[in-house]
Amino acid sequence: MQDLCAEAAVAALREGTCDDFTEVVEALLGSRQPRVRSAGVTALRRTGRHADAEPYLTDRSAVVRACARWVLRQGGTDPAPLYRALCADPADRPAAAVGLGECGVREDADLVRTLLAHPAPRVRACAVAGLRALDAVRVDDVRPLLDDPSAAVVRQATVALLPWADRLPLELLRVLLPEDRPRHQRVAAIRLLRAVGVYA
C-alpha cells in the first residue's frame, strides 16, 4: 500500500497535478520505508533539487543510496568524490564506506580498508560491506573481525569470508565455539566451518 501511495504521489508530481511539490516530496523522504524514501529521492530531480539528494548518499538502504547517486549525477555531480570526503570522518554517516564501495573504483579499497579499525561498529560493518562491493576483500584484513564485539560487524565479516572459508585456520574458528563466547561469534564460526564441510 505504501509503495502504491508513493508511486501515485510521484506520478502526480510528474503530471503536474500536485500543487505542493515540496510537501509531497518531504512526506516521501520522511518515510521509514526504504522504497518510499527512494521515491522521494527520485522526485527531487523532478523538482530540480538535485543537491538535496546528498544526505541520502549514506542512507541505510542500498536502493535509497542508488537513487541519491542517480539524482546527483543527473544534476552534474559525481558522488564518488563526496563519498571519499565522507570516509575521512564517517562517524556520523557510517554508510559512506559501503556507498563508496558501490560506486567507487578498486583504488578506493585502501581508503575503505582503513575504516575496518574505526571505533564505531556501524562504520566497521559498512567498511566490510564496502570492500565486498569493490570485490576487494582480503582474508587477513577481515579475519580479525570475527572476534568483534558487534554482531553486525561479525555478520558482515562472515559473509565476506564465506567464499574464502577454506583459507581460514580451523583452530581460529574453533576458538570461537565455546559457550562463553558471544552467540554471534559462535554462529559465525559454525557457518564458516560448515562452508568447508566441518560440522561442530
Side-chain angles (χ1 to χ4, degrees):
M1 180 63 75
Q2 290 180 339
D3 287 350
L4 289 173
C5 291
E7 289 168 13
V10 172
L13 290 173
R14 191 165 41 245
E15 294 162 10
T17 58
C18 177
D19 294 329
D20 193 341
F21 289 174
T22 301
E23 186 176 331
V24 172
V25 172
E26 292 304 322
L28 295 171
L29 292 172
S31 173
R32 286 197 242 177
Q33 301 299 319
R35 289 181 64 181
V36 177
R37 284 199 309 283
S38 68
V41 172
T42 302
L44 290 171
R45 177 181 177 271
R46 169 70 176 84
T47 60
R49 295 167 51 193
H50 299 86
D52 288 349
E54 192 276 343
Y56 299 92
L57 286 175
T58 52
D59 194 273
R60 285 177 176 262
S61 164
V63 68
V64 176
R65 293 192 300 270
C67 289
R69 290 192 293 269
W70 179 79
V71 171
L72 285 167
R73 288 185 184 113
Q74 294 298 304
T77 301
D78 179 1
L82 298 177
Y83 278 125
R84 292 181 190 115
L86 289 169
C87 282
D89 185 17
D92 294 328
R93 299 179 70 179
V98 66
L100 181 57
E102 290 163 345
C103 75
V105 294
R106 286 295 293 264
E107 289 73 21
D108 290 316
D110 287 339
L111 174 57
V112 175
R113 201 170 280 115
T114 64
L115 300 176
L116 293 174
H118 195 277
R122 282 199 62 218
V123 175
R124 295 195 301 278
C126 288
V128 177
L131 290 173
R132 285 179 53 224
L134 287 166
D135 194 24
V137 172
R138 293 197 310 216
V139 173
D140 289 344
D141 293 329
V142 177
R143 183 176 58 193
L145 296 178
L146 292 173
D147 199 24
D148 199 278
S150 164
V153 174
V154 173
R155 278 194 300 272
Q156 286 292 341
T158 303
V159 173
L161 291 170
L162 277 171
W164 316 103
D166 59 342
R167 293 177 52 189
L168 297 170
L170 295 182
E171 303 76 31
L172 179 146
L173 297 176
R174 288 190 172 116
V175 164
L176 301 174
L177 291 174
E179 287 295 321
D180 60 347
R181 283 283 185 164
R183 183 178 184 279
H184 60 271
Q185 294 178 6
R186 286 184 279 126
V187 168
I190 290 168
R191 286 185 70 191
L192 291 163
L193 285 166
R194 286 180 177 171
V196 292
V198 177
Y199 292 86

